[in-house]
Amino acid sequence: MQTQDSNTPRPADSAEQNDAQIGRRLTALTMGMDHLERQLSRGHGVLDSEGLVPIYLGEDVVPASVLQDWDAVHHELNDLEQQAALYPEGPRRLFLHDMLRSLRTATRLFEGEVLSFREKLEGLVGVPARPVSDEELYGMHAELAALLDQAGVRGGTLAERVHRWEEEGTLDAGQLEPVFKELMAEAQSRTDRLIYPTGDYTMQLNALRGVPFTARCNFSQGQMDLNVDLSFTRAAIKHLVCHEVFPGHSTQLLYTLDKAKTGESTADVLLCTANAVTGCVQEGIGDQGVHLIDWIEDLGDAIHVQLRRIRSASATSAAWYQMGEGWSEERVTQFLETFSFGQKPWIEGRIRFASYSFRGPFIASYWFGNEAVREVRERVSAEQRPEFIRFLYGEMHSPRSLGQFGR
């Protein structure tokens, strides 16, 4: 009888080694694309301002491929697509399919091809090209109205009640930093216990004006950038701390770098911030942050969570109407005032964000990403939670592949 040599890898080992190699190639290619676009565009390309991968911590783990032109990118994409087709049905195959399609779409944009907003949403971001319906938004409004009733905020239109609730809870400028520090300390403690030990990493608050975002994870500087043209309640700062720092973006960066270095995760987890299909789940982790660390303390938190859903949904719809259907800015502004109850700088920022050639479609990643993570989180049992956290943070996902958890 023929025996297997002890040094011959078992089929499972071989598959695992091949997946690790694919992960490294995918990571090197993505970073090579980022570098090539920056080199060729010299500031005039389609990457807007963030780049294809805004934050990359893996230079010492997987260096970027040196690519001479977009033909070289297409060649590597072709080969990776052939390799991905050999995977068995499951979340990994789904993710690789969606990610490679996303990178192919990005390459077409970088080459100068003009794509519709629909093509960018479906191909680049990996989400449906549609608005959230008015009926869905009105349903969310009804849920918000019920919460405001419970909080004793009655009388007037829903918009008036929302504005009154936010104004009554607005923090003074001098309160922002101490509240931020207090909330960050508690968020880190909960994250260390429930998600991942974050060590001595912390962030400082960095106030900015005239920017199109509400807040941003400035990981390399150890700062949470905050747009102080807007006003904030305590619940709003809590959400932003959870989204940008613990257990959101900063935590995901720390986790993925650790697991990529130890080999517990494939190297493509280093692409967690990529402006590709991975962006949806990244934003979903951020927007679900307060839930992931079980931190809904009171009715104020519940009201803000519902407002966040409404604003993400309405911003997704507004971007579609603006860029997909050609609505005027005046009409889009009126829509956002009616459905989101957002502050004027926030509305202006959403319109500006949606207009960006490359980044604009990613406005939809907040709504669809939040829903993707929420739907899985809500069906996870206590026994499944450790495996869910590993699946969520320790693997790269598109919304479709994430939805395969436990199935």
Side-chain angles (χ1 to χ4, degrees), residues 316-333:
T316 295
S317 295
W320 173 257
Y321 296 138
Q322 178 183 344
M323 304 305 299
E325 297 188 12
W327 283 18
S328 67
E329 286 193 11
E330 181 180 0
R331 189 178 177 189
V332 174
T333 298

Side-chain angles (χ1 to χ4, degrees), residues 30 33-34 37 46-47 52 70 73-74 77 99-113 115 119-120 123-125 275-276 358 362:
T30 305
M33 289 173 60
D34 180 275
E37 165 60 14
V46 298
L47 276 175
L52 182 59
W70 297 114
V73 174
H74 283 294
L77 284 170
M99 183 65 174
L100 293 169
R101 182 189 183 195
S102 182
L103 294 179
R104 180 82 72 182
T105 306
T107 301
R108 292 167 62 194
L109 286 165
F110 298 159
E111 289 179 303
E113 188 174 346
L115 301 182
E119 289 173 301
K120 293 176 186 177
L124 182 65
V125 188
N275 285 316
F358 183 78
F362 286 95

Side-chain angles (χ1 to χ4, degrees), residues 140-302:
M140 293 182 221
H141 282 188
E143 294 176 32
L144 177 61
L147 289 170
L148 289 169
D149 281 343
Q150 292 179 48
V153 184
R154 304 183 180 94
T157 66
L158 182 56
E160 290 169 343
R161 293 165 67 192
V162 168
H163 294 323
R164 189 161 70 248
W165 178 80
E166 289 193 307
E167 286 169 6
E168 289 173 355
T170 293
L171 298 170
D172 295 335
Q175 295 176 287
L176 288 175
E177 187 166 3
V179 169
F180 167 79
K181 288 182 177 179
E182 171 207 338
L183 292 172
M184 185 174 63
E186 176 63 18
Q188 186 167 23
S189 175
R190 288 171 175 265
T191 298
D192 289 351
R193 186 172 71 254
L194 296 171
I195 308 291
Y196 173 76
T198 57
D200 58 1
Y201 184 85
T202 58
M203 275 196 163
Q204 299 297 315
L205 190 65
N206 182 39
L208 296 174
R209 291 188 179 275
V211 292
F213 54 81
T214 301
R216 180 175 64 183
C217 171
N218 191 343
F219 186 87
S220 61
Q221 298 297 315
Q223 297 175 338
M224 188 184 90
D225 296 333
L226 185 70
N227 181 358
V228 293
D229 289 333
L230 298 163
S231 61
F232 300 95
T233 62
R234 183 181 186 276
I237 295 295
K238 177 191 281 192
H239 162 77
L240 293 173
V241 165
C242 289
H243 187 111
E244 308 295 343
V245 195
F246 307 118
H249 298 342
S250 292
T251 303
Q252 192 177 11
L253 284 160
L254 294 167
Y255 187 109
T256 51
L257 180 60
D258 178 15
K259 302 304 181 184
K261 282 183 172 180
T262 63
E264 294 173 70
S265 297
T266 53
D268 51 283
V269 294
L270 295 165
L271 301 175
C272 63
T273 71
N275 285 316
V277 293
T278 53
C280 267
V281 176
Q282 179 204 21
E283 301 301 352
I285 289 172
D287 271 1
Q288 284 287 298
V290 289
H291 299 284
L292 289 169
I293 56 174
D294 192 23
W295 203 18
I296 304 296
E297 296 177 284
D298 53 33
L299 199 51
D301 286 345

